[in-house]
Amino acid sequence: MPRPPRLSPDDVTAALSALPLWSGGPDGIERTVQLPTFRAAVEAVSAIADVAELLDHHPDMDLRWTELRVAVVTHSAGGLTELDLDLARRVDALYPG
């Protein structure tokens, strides 16, 4: 499967304006999901993993008690791609903040 092209800095800036819960830049984006309990945070890892498997695109996730940090980047493209934005939108659909 060919790798998706890396987005330009202007494309990333425009995309982030539509993803206000995310921060970062052309090298990758991230957001933190605050959950009410540790169990809910663990379940969020699983829910995001299900979406990631559907896309065959896997984020970095860091769970700290009730806080889950999700980071996305397409390593093979050396930065942010449309695939990362799709995953970010799907995370936001699950956890609108």
Side-chain angles (χ1 to χ4, degrees):
M1 172 184 253
R3 73 177 187 199
R6 182 178 172 148
L7 297 173
S8 73
D10 289 342
D11 290 338
V12 173
T13 298
L16 285 175
S17 70
L19 293 166
L21 299 173
W22 294 80
S23 62
D27 294 327
I29 60 174
E30 66 180 55
R31 76 165 275 203
T32 299
V33 180
Q34 188 66 48
L35 287 302
T37 65
F38 178 72
R39 172 63 63 191
V42 170
E43 290 169 0
V45 170
S46 182
I48 293 168
D50 289 342
V51 170
E53 285 292 302
L54 288 173
L55 294 175
D56 192 27
H57 189 58
H58 305 94
D60 293 331
M61 292 191 273
D62 180 36
L63 174 60
R64 306 290 170 120
W65 189 35
T66 60
E67 188 174 277
L68 176 62
R69 182 183 152 276
V70 182
V72 295
V73 64
T74 302
H75 297 286
S76 63
L80 205 67
T81 68
E82 193 59 45
L83 190 55
D84 300 302
L85 299 179
D86 188 16
L87 182 55
R89 288 183 203 102
R90 290 175 188 234
V91 170
D92 284 355
L94 290 170
Y95 303 98

